[in-house]
Amino acid sequence: MNALRLALALGLLAIGSGAAHAADWTVDPAKSRIGFSGTQVGAPFKGRFTRYDAQISFDPAKPEAGKAVVLIDLTSAETGDKQRDEALPQADWFNASKDKQARFEATRFVSKGGDAYDAIGTLTIRGMRKDVTLPFTLNLSGGTAHAVGHLDLVRTDYGVGQGPWSNDSMVALKVGVDIDLTASAKTGG
């Protein structure tokens, strides 16, 4: 579940590489998805965050100068399972009454050749901040960027899953974060 938040944040960062000189991007939420996946009692599940805000500045000619901040509303997690969706914002999981947002801050991007990049930064969930690297691919077409990436996380590294949920007996510790983002180059000044 923490992986979802990370994936969303990292995914938004990944989109930002596009315009030849203008480096600011606006994510299109209707064409984008920040998702997560996990396993509960042996059965895989998927979900997504429906509310997030991203500020992305990225120029593929100078990826190392890029920056991004993605704020994810932890109360917006949806998996399609009512019981799980009601539990996620609670104290044992995201503790959204105390820390409503997860924060991903990319301090730089690294080109790995071709359309492959890494977004390097930090992810903060439940007040726990960790260094992360989100690998992604980026395709540019005119003023539109499409980024797809995946990151595996350990939810307990961020305190997600307290008490009886702090081990893998019911919910696996490993979670996946998937980003599939479409953004357009900002115009004007």
Side-chain angles (χ1 to χ4, degrees):
M1 293 166 205
N2 283 333
L4 282 178
R5 284 178 260 166
L6 290 175
L8 290 175
L10 294 176
L12 293 173
L13 293 175
I15 295 181
S17 62
H21 59 329
D24 294 327
W25 296 87
T26 301
V27 174
D28 182 345
K31 296 178 181 177
S32 301
R33 186 174 195 282
I34 297 177
F36 56 94
S37 58
T39 304
Q40 183 174 2
V41 291
F45 69 88
K46 291 187 177 195
R48 67 185 183 124
F49 292 97
T50 61
R51 291 185 301 275
Y52 50 88
D53 179 59
Q55 295 180 7
I56 301 168
S57 181
F58 183 91
D59 179 347
K62 295 181 272 172
E64 68 283 353
K67 296 191 182 336
V69 174
V70 180
L71 301 174
I72 301 161
D73 183 342
L74 298 176
T75 67
S76 75
E78 293 182 352
T79 66
D81 178 278
K82 184 178 188 221
Q83 185 178 7
R84 185 184 300 122
D85 292 352
E86 289 174 354
L88 283 173
Q90 302 304 315
D92 282 344
W93 296 100
F94 293 145
N95 199 19
S97 66
K98 184 177 178 194
D99 292 305
K100 185 178 178 183
Q101 294 180 324
R103 177 186 176 97
F104 175 76
E105 183 170 0
T107 54
R108 67 188 171 104
F109 296 88
V110 175
S111 173
K112 297 183 341 186
D115 63 355
Y117 294 87
D118 282 338
I120 299 173
T122 58
L123 176 66
T124 305
I125 302 170
R126 291 184 62 117
M128 296 182 180
R129 181 180 165 172
K130 305 282 182 192
D131 293 337
V132 295
T133 298
L134 170 68
F136 66 95
T137 58
L138 178 68
N139 292 302
L140 301 172
S141 178
T144 301
H146 181 224
V148 176
H150 176 83
L151 176 67
D152 287 320
L153 303 173
V154 175
R155 62 179 174 81
T156 53
D157 287 350
Y158 296 90
V160 175
Q162 298 287 305
W165 309 106
S166 63
N167 61 50
D168 65 355
S169 64
M170 295 292 282
V171 178
L173 298 180
K174 182 179 168 183
V175 291
V177 178
D178 293 292
I179 57 122
D180 186 340
L181 302 175
T182 299
S184 57
K186 288 184 182 179
T187 57

